[in-house]
Amino acid sequence: MSDTARQTGLIVALDTQDPAQAKAWAHAVEGVAGVIKLGMEFAYAAGFQAVADVAGQRPLFLDLKLHDIPNTVGAAVKALSHLRPRMLTLHAVGGAEMMKAARKACDEAFPEGERPLLLAVTVLTSMDNHALAEVGVPDDTRTQVLRLADLAMKSGMDGLICSAHELKALREALGDKPVLVTPGIRPAGAAKGDQKRVMTPAEARAAGADWIVVGRPITQAADPAAAAAAIAAELAA
Ligand code: C5P
C-alpha cells in the first residue's frame, strides 16, 4: 500500500481513574476518534463495569498488556469477551504458546467477525539496550523488536503496538499485513510531556501507521473536541 493510500485512524487514550472524566472525554471526541483506549490504570481503579459504561457502543481498545501462562491468558481473554473490545493487547515476550492461546480463546469466545484485533507489545519503549541486557537479552532493542514482531505474526496476532520510529523497519520486514498501532504522537507545537521521541500524526501515517494513539494532547487541551478534530483532519489531509 502506498503511503498516500493508507488510511490512518485516531485512537484517543482516556488515561484517568475517574469514570465521569473518561465519559466526558469519550463524548467530546465522539465521531472523530474511531476508537477509545482504556487501560490498566482505569480498569484497576474504576473496575470493569466502568469500562463497559464508558465504552458503551463505542469501539474499545482494551490495553491490558496480558502476560501470563497460556492457560491463564486464554481464560482472561474469555473473561473479557463480554466487553466486546475491538482491540486487545498482550506481551509478545510471553511466547508463541501464550499468543496462540489468546488467539484460540478469541476464536472461541467471540462471534464470527467480532473478534478483537490482538495486538502484541514487543519491547516497551521505556527499555533501552542496557535494560534489555539486564533481563538477559544481549541484542539491541531494534533486533529484539523485529524478532518479537515476527514471532507475534507467526503466532496469530493481528498486529503490533510500536513506536513511530519502528514503523518503517516493521513495514519493511513484515509488509502490509500487520495492523500497526503507534503511540507517542504529538501534533506540531504540542507539549511533549514525558514522550521523548515523537512524530506528528502526518509523519506517522507516512511511516506506515494504521492507527495512532493520542492521549494528553487531546485530553489536556482546553478544547478536547477541537484538538481531536484537528488531528483527524491532519490524518485525512
Ligand atoms: O498522553 P499520551 O499521548 O502520551 O498517551 C499515549 C498513550 O499511549 C498512553 O495511554 C500510554 O500509556 C500509551 N503508550 C505510550 N508509549 C508507549 C506505549 C503506550 O505512550 N510506548
Side-chain angles (χ1 to χ4, degrees):
M1 192 185 301
S2 76
D3 291 345
T4 46
R6 185 179 305 284
Q7 294 214 332
T8 304
L10 172 62
I11 299 171
V12 180
L14 308 180
D15 291 323
T16 174
Q17 300 185 5
D18 175 7
Q21 177 67 85
K23 270 187 194 168
W25 287 336
H27 183 68
V29 301
E30 193 89 67
V32 176
V35 176
I36 57 164
K37 179 171 98 77
L38 293 168
M40 278 191 250
E41 180 188 1
F42 185 81
Y44 291 157
F48 283 96
Q49 185 55 51
V51 171
D53 291 345
V54 171
Q57 298 305 309
R58 300 177 178 96
L60 171 66
F61 173 178
L62 198 48
D63 187 16
L64 298 178
K65 297 189 175 68
L66 305 175
H67 182 189
D68 208 314
I69 60 171
N71 188 58
T72 299
V73 167
V77 167
K78 286 188 176 176
L80 293 166
S81 63
H82 69 285
L83 294 168
R84 296 276 173 258
R86 167 94 181 269
M87 302 170 173
L88 190 60
T89 48
L90 41 70
H91 276 284
V93 77
E97 292 310 314
M98 189 202 83
M99 290 187 275
K100 286 177 187 169
R103 176 61 192 266
K104 183 164 178 278
C106 271
D107 290 339
E108 289 171 2
F110 289 85
E112 184 79 26
E114 290 180 31
R115 179 176 76 74
L117 294 175
L118 285 170
L119 303 172
V121 175
T122 58
V123 178
L124 292 170
T125 50
S126 53
M127 296 189 81
D128 57 13
N129 293 344
H130 175 72
L132 277 185
E134 281 183 331
V135 296
V137 178
D139 295 312
D140 62 11
T141 53
R142 182 191 157 91
T143 304
Q144 180 70 348
V145 165
L146 289 171
R147 173 188 289 135
L148 290 173
D150 184 54
L151 183 69
M153 297 313 294
K154 286 176 176 156
S155 304
M157 301 298 93
D158 299 289
L160 304 157
I161 307 296
C162 66
S163 93
H165 296 272
E166 294 160 0
L167 283 166
K168 269 199 185 331
L170 287 168
R171 281 281 174 236
E172 275 166 28
L174 299 169
D176 273 335
K177 185 161 175 262
V179 176
L180 297 183
V181 178
T182 302
I185 301 298
R186 290 291 176 270
K192 288 188 181 179
D194 53 6
Q195 301 277 14
K196 293 191 182 88
R197 303 175 67 216
V198 297
M199 272 191 191
T200 66
E203 286 169 344
R205 184 184 72 161
D210 293 295
W211 293 90
I212 60 169
V213 182
V214 184
R216 289 163 291 181
I218 292 173
T219 59
Q220 303 306 311
D223 183 346
I231 292 171
E234 184 178 337
L235 289 175

